[in-house]
Amino acid sequence: DLFIYYYGLVLLALTVLVFLLILIWPVELPDILLKQTKEGRLALSNHGINQFIQTKLSGEDLSNIKVRLKNTRRQRKFYIVADSVYKQATVKELPRISYDLTKSLNDLLAGVNRIPIKVDIKVNQKSNSKRKVTRVI
């Protein structure tokens, strides 16, 4: 009887732990809700935001812009990797570019709840993936 009692307590504790973990786990949202009424729902998709960022950064001497967005209920993070012909000049301008992009995103999402926006821009970073390339001898 004692073994079954402790087994039940451990099983109950694990069930509660898994339930709390599922509730607290951050869920990535597919879009940003702008307005919801009984007539319908107006939302801005993550793909639309990615295209907005690429359009904003295309005039900043950046090319091959890749945007990764993490949109949760508590924060919005934008990870941007781009190439630049003149890396030294672009790196000096990164704080201004990041500030302008953050301001533009705040203006775009002005009527939406005030969730903090974080922008992380990297220029000419090496790829972490290890691709298999054939060698010619």
Side-chain angles (χ1 to χ4, degrees), residues 75-103:
Q75 62 185 348
R76 293 187 179 103
K77 291 183 182 178
F78 301 95
Y79 301 101
I80 303 163
V81 178
D83 295 333
S84 177
V85 177
Y86 306 106
K87 182 180 179 183
Q88 296 299 331
T90 307
V91 168
K92 290 178 184 176
E93 293 292 321
L94 276 183
R96 180 192 59 81
I97 294 170
S98 178
Y99 175 76
D100 290 344
L101 184 61
T102 305
K103 186 177 178 208

Side-chain angles (χ1 to χ4, degrees), residues 5-78:
Y5 175 74
Y6 285 118
Y7 179 74
L9 284 179
V10 169
L11 187 61
L12 179 65
L14 285 176
T15 305
V16 169
L17 183 68
V18 169
F19 181 71
L20 288 175
L21 186 69
I22 289 172
L23 284 178
I24 296 173
W25 195 268
V27 176
E28 192 164 338
L29 304 172
D31 54 11
I32 296 174
L33 183 64
L34 299 176
K35 185 177 181 182
Q36 183 168 1
T37 61
K38 59 183 176 185
E39 286 87 27
R41 179 177 189 264
L42 178 64
L44 183 61
S45 71
N46 290 345
H47 181 71
I49 296 172
N50 287 344
Q51 294 301 318
F52 176 78
I53 291 172
Q54 288 180 1
T55 303
K56 279 290 198 189
L57 294 179
S58 63
E60 298 288 344
D61 192 31
L62 296 172
S63 61
N64 196 17
I65 301 167
K66 295 178 183 143
V67 180
R68 192 172 57 103
L69 165 68
K70 187 173 183 184
N71 180 20
T72 62
R73 285 182 286 168
R74 296 191 177 114
Q75 62 185 348
R76 293 187 179 103
K77 291 183 182 178
F78 301 95

